[in-house]
Amino acid sequence: EEWLVFVEVKTRKNTDKGFPSDAVDARKREKYERIALAYAAEYSGTEVPVRFDVVSIVVIGNGKAMIRHHMNAFTR
């Protein structure tokens, strides 16, 4: 099945202020939804389901990182 996926990638050096995905709040969600609507109106010729993902990266050090991929991050 085909999807149109919008992905926000957030990176932090540590989790002192929470996980990077915590920075994607309601205000950013509304912004991304407006962008998706504008994109779909301009470029989409067919109807496909839209999904919003968040990739959260925490740099651990020594060239290593913890990565979480939150698929359908805006679906409750």
Side-chain angles (χ1 to χ4, degrees):
E1 181 177 12
E2 292 185 13
W3 286 81
L4 175 58
V5 181
F6 293 87
V7 182
E8 170 74 8
V9 179
K10 303 298 282 183
T11 304
R12 290 192 175 162
K13 294 180 182 178
N14 55 52
T15 58
D16 292 348
K17 296 182 180 178
F19 285 95
S21 56
D22 296 339
V24 182
D25 56 13
R27 181 183 56 82
K28 284 193 175 185
R29 175 183 174 165
E30 290 174 11
K31 177 181 175 183
Y32 299 147
E33 289 173 342
R34 284 194 312 271
I35 291 168
L37 285 171
Y39 179 87
E42 183 73 24
Y43 297 105
S44 182
T46 61
E47 286 195 26
V48 295
V50 174
R51 190 177 81 212
F52 296 90
D53 291 3
V54 176
V55 174
S56 179
I57 302 170
V58 177
V59 178
I60 307 171
N62 296 327
K64 296 182 180 183
M66 179 183 74
I67 301 171
R68 287 179 143 179
H69 181 185
H70 306 272
M71 295 176 65
N72 255 344
F74 295 167
T75 303
R76 308 246 174 208

